[in-house]
Amino acid sequence: MNLPIRIVIADDHVLVRQGIRAFLETHADLSIVGEAEDAASAIALCSAQMPDVALLDLVMPGGGIEATRAIRAASPQTQVVLLTSFENAQQILAAVQAGALSCLLKDIDADALADTLRKAARGEAVLHPRIAARLMEALREDADPASGLLESLSQREHEVLALMAEGLSNSSIAERLGIGEKTVKTHVSNVLGKLNVSDRTQAAVYAWKSGMKQR
Amino acid sequence: MNLPIRIVIADDHVLVRQGIRAFLETHADLSIVGEAEDAASAIALCSAQMPDVALLDLVMPGGGIEATRAIRAASPQTQVVLLTSFENAQQILAAVQAGALSCLLKDIDADALADTLRKAARGEAVLHPRIAARLMEALREDADPASGLLESLSQREHEVLALMAEGLSNSSIAERLGIGEKTVKTHVSNVLGKLNVSDRTQAAVYAWKSGMKQR
DNA sequence: TTCCTTCTCCGCCGACAGACCGAGAGCCTT
DNA sequence: AAGGCTCTCGGTCTGTCGGCGGAGAAGGAA
């Protein structure tokens, strides 16, 4: 057996921290090297201790996501495992993109938590099944265009928008589609009108935000 | 107990289909209403049978992702569950965005498969833990900018680009940042030069493609 | 100090963008 | 046949964009 895995716990509820500590102390290979009750002290603690794993509550004073980002920046070898009571897909997505490795619900049992922490120390991610399900939902949602406005575009206008969204000028679009530049300008004007935006850049941004796939 | 869950299996290997069928037939509430060996016949079968769940191999002639998309379009009440041997995050992401509900690895045991199918019939998603881990990796990867060119931008230029990427005009950016429009134009010109693009739309597209997050 | 970068701002000017006007041809529904 | 939609193209005009050259102030590095 190697050195014990060094862990920092951050949660704004004392009871939760004590509970987790009590759970984890029954495992000899897990060592709790510090506790914090808000984002700022969690970040400071991780900067000082450089733990293997930081176990953070997603909702805590100062913000669990901000804490994740700061800890990952200050101490890259520290893997962040998030605990959450609720299943908010957007928050979880943001947390993952901020650098969180694993996400667990608080109803997890002690052995599974210990297992997740060991995996985290090795860089292996774990997603709670219910969280995974929510994440799937979220991904499916922002995958579907269904932004309404996009559907009002004609076939040709779609093509023109797609090329606009690649950064092409009117003349380049005309060349690519084999039509006149004046025609392209007409299509562009129609697209701007239908999308309710005032210039091609906003149209391109709209296309990207809507996840227009026809690249 | 309600009506049995109607399932279509699609896999290009006969042995796999027979194996799955043998597994599932031990469950009284699961009814296999058809088998297919490629995307085209799977789509046709689902259009005709309108099953509750389609169990597809991710790699099959015609493409599991295309099959997923077509089945979801032709028979929206059919939930798609994907089976895969490999853990390619990009493919899985694409599959989820094509409308797949759950993703499993082929090393799953029969009871877990049955459980996943029952959940799928109720619209509940299941992600295989190893797939979940890969998905997390992928999400973390395309979250980090690290596009090189972006790092040559100064702080102010970053801010200006971020606002360009939201579709703001020079005057709006000036207003937002509390500086003169001429100054904004200078920054914009510098950004265009550093990013090696010729207009603000291309810069905005670049920002989006690079996954610039500083919104 | 000197040099370099960054941020700020100025004027000039050509080029493209986008609005507004009209119009002909093809296609589909009524 | 009439009306509607789409795609095509034309002209005109105003505004913004973006390039070019210049410049002052502040801060850090050599």
Side-chain angles (χ1 to χ4, degrees):
Chain A
M1 168 85 70
N2 284 331
L3 291 173
I5 298 170
R6 303 173 64 252
I7 299 168
V8 159
I9 303 175
D11 193 301
D12 52 332
H13 301 98
V14 185
L15 272 178
V16 176
R17 292 205 305 274
Q18 289 186 338
I20 293 174
R21 179 183 276 276
F23 276 146
L24 296 186
E25 277 178 346
T26 64
H27 296 266
D29 60 332
L30 304 178
S31 163
I32 294 158
V33 298
E35 292 182 14
E37 59 183 358
D38 57 31
S41 50
I43 296 164
L45 191 55
C46 287
S47 299
Q49 288 287 337
M50 301 280 190
D52 300 306
V53 183
L55 184 60
L56 308 182
D57 189 358
L58 181 55
V59 284
M60 62 190 293
I65 293 172
E66 288 73 15
T68 301
R69 203 186 319 274
I71 290 172
R72 291 291 299 166
S75 174
Q77 80 279 22
T78 298
Q79 298 290 355
V80 173
V81 174
L82 286 178
L83 276 176
T84 174
S85 312
F86 307 101
E87 305 158 20
N88 181 324
Q90 288 310 318
Q91 279 198 302
I92 292 165
L93 246 174
V96 171
Q97 296 189 328
L101 180 66
S102 297
C103 287
L104 300 176
L105 283 178
K106 285 191 176 169
D107 66 358
I108 195 171
D109 67 88
D111 289 333
L113 176 57
D115 191 49
T116 297
L117 292 174
R118 289 191 194 98
K119 285 202 166 112
R122 292 197 301 270
E124 292 175 32
V126 172
L127 259 193
H128 191 292
R130 292 230 301 278
I131 290 180
R134 288 299 176 109
L135 211 48
M136 301 282 281
E137 276 178 42
L139 286 172
R140 294 178 75 181
E141 274 165 19
D142 54 81
D144 93 282
S147 315
L149 257 358
L150 273 183
E151 291 164 13
S152 64
L153 297 183
S154 71
Q155 174 62 32
R156 206 50 158 172
E157 287 161 354
H158 250 103
E159 294 173 30
V160 170
L161 176 56
L163 295 175
M164 271 196 278
E166 290 297 327
L168 274 68
S169 67
N170 287 340
S171 61
S172 302
I173 296 175
E175 208 175 321
R176 185 78 75 86
L177 296 181
I179 59 180
E181 184 178 343
K182 292 296 176 63
T183 307
V184 174
K185 292 182 77 168
T186 303
H187 289 315
V188 169
S189 285
N190 291 335
V191 169
L192 298 185
K194 287 185 179 178
L195 297 187
N196 220 345
V197 296
S198 55
D199 61 60
R200 68 198 297 104
T201 305
Q202 288 179 18
V205 170
Y206 184 97
W208 281 92
K209 281 189 176 173
S210 313
M212 239 183 66
K213 286 290 182 256
Q214 39 274 69
R215 345 182 174 173
Chain B
M1 170 85 69
N2 285 332
L3 292 172
I5 297 169
R6 303 174 63 252
I7 299 169
V8 160
I9 302 175
D11 192 301
D12 52 333
H13 300 99
V14 185
L15 272 179
V16 176
R17 292 205 304 276
Q18 290 186 337
I20 292 173
R21 178 184 278 274
F23 276 145
L24 296 186
E25 278 179 344
T26 64
H27 297 265
D29 60 331
L30 303 178
S31 164
I32 294 157
V33 298
E35 293 182 13
E37 59 183 359
D38 57 32
S41 50
I43 296 164
L45 191 55
C46 288
S47 299
Q49 288 287 338
M50 301 281 190
D52 300 306
V53 182
L55 184 61
L56 308 182
D57 189 358
L58 182 55
V59 285
M60 62 190 292
I65 292 171
E66 288 72 16
T68 301
R69 204 187 318 274
I71 290 172
R72 292 291 299 166
S75 173
Q77 80 279 26
T78 299
Q79 297 290 354
V80 173
V81 174
L82 286 177
L83 276 176
T84 172
S85 312
F86 307 100
E87 306 157 21
N88 181 324
Q90 287 309 318
Q91 280 198 302
I92 292 164
L93 245 174
V96 171
Q97 296 188 329
L101 180 66
S102 297
C103 286
L104 301 176
L105 283 177
K106 285 190 175 169
D107 66 358
I108 196 171
D109 66 89
D111 290 332
L113 176 57
D115 189 51
T116 296
L117 292 173
R118 290 189 193 99
K119 285 204 167 108
R122 292 196 302 272
E124 293 175 32
V126 173
L127 258 193
H128 191 290
R130 293 229 300 277
I131 290 180
R134 288 300 177 109
L135 210 49
M136 301 280 281
E137 276 178 44
L139 286 173
R140 295 178 74 181
E141 273 165 20
D142 54 81
D144 94 281
S147 312
L149 253 5
L150 275 183
E151 290 165 14
S152 64
L153 298 184
S154 71
Q155 174 61 31
R156 205 51 156 173
E157 287 161 354
H158 249 102
E159 295 173 29
V160 171
L161 175 57
L163 294 175
M164 272 195 279
E166 291 297 326
L168 274 68
S169 67
N170 287 340
S171 61
S172 303
I173 296 175
E175 208 175 321
R176 185 78 75 85
L177 296 181
I179 58 180
E181 184 179 343
K182 295 295 176 61
T183 307
V184 174
K185 291 183 73 170
T186 303
H187 289 315
V188 169
S189 285
N190 291 334
V191 169
L192 298 185
K194 289 185 178 178
L195 295 187
N196 219 347
V197 296
S198 55
D199 61 59
R200 68 198 299 103
T201 306
Q202 289 180 18
V205 170
Y206 184 97
W208 281 93
K209 281 188 175 173
S210 313
M212 236 183 69
K213 282 295 181 258
Q214 37 274 70
R215 348 181 176 172

